[in-house]
Structure formats: C-alpha cells, structure tokens
Amino acid sequence: MPLAAPAAASAIEVVSFGCRLNALDSASAKAMAGAAGLENAVIVNTCAVTAEAVKQARQTIRRLKREAPSRRIIVTGCAAQTEPARFAAMDEVDRVLGTAEKTAPEAWQATRAALDFGLGHEAKIVVGDIMAVRETAPHLLDGPADTIEGHTRAFVQVQDGCDHRCTFCVIPHGRGNSRSVPMGAVVARVRELVEQGAREIVLTGVDLTSYGAGLPGAPRLGTLVRTLLRHVPELPRLRLSSLDSVEVDAELMRALAEEERLMPHLHLSLQAGDNLILKRMKRRHSREQAIRFCRELRQARPEMVFGADLIAGFPTESETAFRASLDLVDACGLTHLHVFPFSARPGTPAARMPAVDPAVVRERARRLREKGAHALLRHLAAEVGARREVLAERGGLARTKSFTPVRLASALAPGTLTHIRIAGHDGVRLIAA
C-alpha cells in the first residue's frame, strides 16, 4: 500500500510506495517540482522490492488518471529506475524519472518544460546509470520541516545504496552503490531538527551499517552515533532504523550498551534462519551469528528489543528449513516481525532457482506472522506493571524506548517525555495506568 495518498486540492500531489526512504525522497521531490513551477501533477514514487509493489503502483497510476484525466503523472522511484520502459509504455504516464533524477532540480525544470509537448514512450524516460552515482545527493539532509513525524520524531537519511548483491534483491539496481553523508553535515542537520522541535532522531539508510566506507577516514556507524550524542547534547533520543547485524562495528556495540539516549531497539535484516537458505540468498551472516549477536547485546543491555525482516518461501526452502526460521524467533528473542512472502524479481539469481509452490509460500508467511503475533503478546504481557519512559505523540499515543506503542490515560502534548506505569495491553499496544 502507498505510504501516503494524495491530498485532494493540491497543485502537486504525491503517492509514495515502500520504505521510509521513499517517503523522505517524496517530500524533497515535491518541493523541487513546485520550485520548477509544475502544476496540476501527481508524483508516483514507486517501490521495486516486490512484484506486488510494482503492480500496486501501476494500478494506482490508472486510478489517478481516471479520477483526474487532465492531471499530469510523473513516475519515479526504484521501480521506475529498474523498469522505466514498462511505465513509459503506460498511456497515463507523462514522464519517468530515475532515482538520481528525482532529486535533481534541473530534472524537474526539464520535466516542467517537456510536459508542454506530446512525448513518445522513449522521450518520456529520463533515467541515468545509477551505478555511476558516487556522491550522496545533498537532498538527503534537506527535507522540509514536516519530516518531523507527529511533532516528535524526525528521520535523517545518512546513507543510500548498497554494495551487496543478495540473490533476491533489486534494490542496488534501484538506488545504486553505497554512499554516505559526511558526519559534519549530519550533525548540523540533526541540530537543526532538534531546534525545530524533534525529540527523537532516527538514522536511516538502505544499508545503514555500511555508513562511512567512502568518506575520508572511513568512519563507522558507531563513530557517527557517538559524535551525534556528544555534539547534540539537547537531543533526548537517538534511534537506528533497520540494519545488518553482521556489519555492526565494535564502537556501535559499545554505544548500544552504554548510551542511555541511544534507544534499546534494533530491527535486523535476518531474512531466514536456515544456513543453506542464507547461503543461497547470499547473505553474509549465519544462523549462529545472528543468535550470538542478539544474546551478547541483550546481556550488555537487558532491555534491548529486537525486530526482524523474514522471508517465507524462498526458492528451495524445505519444511525443515522453514522451521529453522520459525525457531529463530525464539532463539533470537524477536518481538516485532516484518514477514515477506517471497516474490521473484526479474533478473535476480533467485528468480532462476526452483520455486516453492505459491500456496505453500502463503501458508508459511501466515505461520511466521502468527509466530510474530505470539512473540509480540509475550513482550506486551512482560511489560505490564513496569514503569517506562515514553515519548508522547498525537492522538493520545506514546512510544517506549523499545518503540512499543502505548495508549495514554490522558493525552499529552506531542513531544512530552514522561514516565508512566503500564497497566495492561490490548494485544497490539500497551495501556498506561
């Protein structure tokens, strides 16, 4: 489903699919399109991670054109980068911009001029070689003030792209190779957001733990975290988005154990619990490494909570291999699961491997989600009776340090940090006394 539906009476509207990074890109693209003078247009920012995401984007494009036939439609994002001709062939589409182009002001200026002409399918496409991009675009740190979510939380993209080639993934072809934002620029942006009211900063990236590899001195993510906490002492909370446990550096491990302002919640890119499947995925960690990582970090900081991405029904996955993924939930003590039924992406090695029957894939995804629901219930039940610091959001909700949602007894102003006692839960969120 798209992250945001277009607002009815806006000159430029945006529909963003997929990850948080796409949402940040969408905000910047909308601002650039507006600065270029574009009007009566909708930007569809696509996701390529699954075939279903591409299908939903195409369906949305058709619906948008039916609803407002005079509106111009510009398609961008990862799927536009990897499958530009497919979108350009759609009569509803007026322009296709690549990943790099969607964040370039000159591309939006050229789009504004081009939309005055009837373009053929090929002329619609403005998609460059994403693998040739070497520097992180400045827009990553130039998002508008409304990136402060619910007046409490702001997302700061410090890294883009990926140098790894997992056999199921097309994202490197959509976002290019890994590149990072210099630490000084990150510190300045975080300080600016805190001054604007952000109480929690979330560092994000496509492959967050590869941060710094192309920067002078090759600083690691742990160095960035320590630097931010030292130079922005007024920041109450710093959080990390999804990361790869095998790349976590020693300084980051120490920071997670020692820094109270660094939140005790990690979402791990695990994908599977069977070593042979992990090898066929071309993942760089083993089952044993993942379990050891969670155990050691929890020993260093007992309140640590882990979420994870898991794929159900990867090609060649046997029932025994699948059960290893089910068992990994308990072995790692996972609490929040993102479960993905395997979706073959054209051109990837996994698409050429022997497939699991689609009905079996759906059933395994259901079983994994059920396992995740039970794990969440255990976590919620264990919190009952505890006192927790929470950060208030809109609508009478708050978040604990472990990112668990809490229904407050009475609404607090968004951004308020307070301690509450957990009286119960409703199966989805905690309930404050």
Side-chain angles (χ1 to χ4, degrees), residues 170-192:
V170 298
I171 297 306
H173 302 288
R175 287 192 170 266
N177 293 311
S178 181
R179 54 236 191 250
S180 304
V181 180
M183 285 197 296
V186 177
V187 171
R189 178 56 172 159
V190 168
R191 186 178 290 119
E192 177 186 19

Side-chain angles (χ1 to χ4, degrees), residues 198-209:
R199 304 286 281 164
E200 180 175 292
I201 296 294
V202 185
L203 301 183
T204 70
V206 172
D207 182 25
L208 186 58
T209 36

Side-chain angles (χ1 to χ4, degrees), residues 9-29:
S10 175
I12 302 174
E13 300 163 359
V14 180
V15 178
S16 187
F17 290 83
C19 65
R20 172 61 60 179
L21 301 186
N22 252 19
L24 295 176
D25 286 348
S26 292
S28 295

